[in-house]
Amino acid sequence: MTSRRTAHYFLEALVDLGVDYIFANLGTDHVSLIEEIARWDSEGRRRPEVILCPHEVVAVHMAMGYASATGRGQAVFVHVDAGTANACMAIQNAFRYRLPVLLCAGRAPFALHGELPGGRDTYVHFVQDSFDQASIIRPYVKWEYTLPSGVVVKEALARAAAFMHSDPPGPVYMMLPREVLAEDWDDTAMPAYPPARYGSVKAGGIEPERAHAVADALMKATRSP
């Protein structure tokens, strides 16, 4: 039985969703993700390419450019409330241009006394614990969510992708507490959520392929005794 941190399954979910790039302005909240990226590299595993950006506005606009060219949303990593605030003006552009962007920000740790891996270990974790971090950006995203546990990370990211690609497309926001990213989970306890389970919704009615699939399922259905 193999045990991995939430950060590992987070990266797996990005790969499952076809995310090619992570445009990143990193901070203390990304420690588990950085360590997992390094481990994946040592094992020769394929992962999204990380593009380090000097400012969050640059990171978001690079993701917007990729989305504009391909129609596919990419990941942007920013640092807690400060990174969210810096990204906000660019996210407003993504919202108004209707471009999919997956904005992921850390959350200040909540464990104070070493009870959990990833808990507070420096003064900045106290001053960056804002009352309502998402309020900075909430008017300009289609969906926002705080990851409560690693066991739902793949489902949460599949939902995020469905929201940002559904018509009209646009940015979504996910907050990642440091303790949650550092949680250990056995492979057998981690549910798989294929991206197709939360497919995006397009304007103009249901696509013919989905209509045929629904009709075929109904025609093949049998009633239990």
Side-chain angles (χ1 to χ4, degrees), residues 21-42:
Y21 292 98
I22 299 169
F23 301 100
N25 190 291
L26 302 171
T28 59
D29 37 337
H30 299 107
V31 172
S32 294
L33 288 165
I34 294 169
E35 290 177 348
E36 284 301 313
I37 288 170
R39 185 176 65 80
W40 279 37
D41 287 348
S42 71

Side-chain angles (χ1 to χ4, degrees), residues 84-100:
T84 301
N86 279 343
C88 187
M89 292 303 297
I91 288 294
Q92 290 186 48
N93 288 337
F95 184 74
R96 288 163 180 154
Y97 280 95
R98 297 185 173 181
L99 292 171

Side-chain angles (χ1 to χ4, degrees), residues 209-222:
E209 294 81 6
R210 290 194 185 184
H212 290 312
V214 171
D216 187 57
L218 290 173
M219 293 298 292
K220 292 178 179 178
T222 58

Side-chain angles (χ1 to χ4, degrees), residues 94-167:
F95 184 74
R96 288 163 180 154
Y97 280 95
R98 297 185 173 181
L99 292 171
V101 174
L102 172 61
L103 181 65
C104 298
R107 281 287 299 273
F110 53 81
L112 304 179
H113 307 292
E115 308 94 330
L116 296 171
R120 298 184 183 188
D121 56 18
T122 182
Y123 83 97
V124 75
H125 294 150
F126 291 85
V127 300
Q128 289 179 332
D129 187 9
S130 60
F131 171 70
D132 186 2
Q133 180 175 307
S135 66
I136 304 168
I137 206 163
R138 188 174 293 127
Y140 311 107
V141 294
K142 296 180 65 182
W143 179 81
E144 57 101 353
Y145 186 68
T146 298
L147 186 67
S149 168
V151 76
V152 297
V153 65
K154 291 191 174 183
E155 180 181 9
L157 282 170
R159 287 179 174 175
F163 273 107
M164 73 174 173
H165 288 119
S166 292
D167 286 339

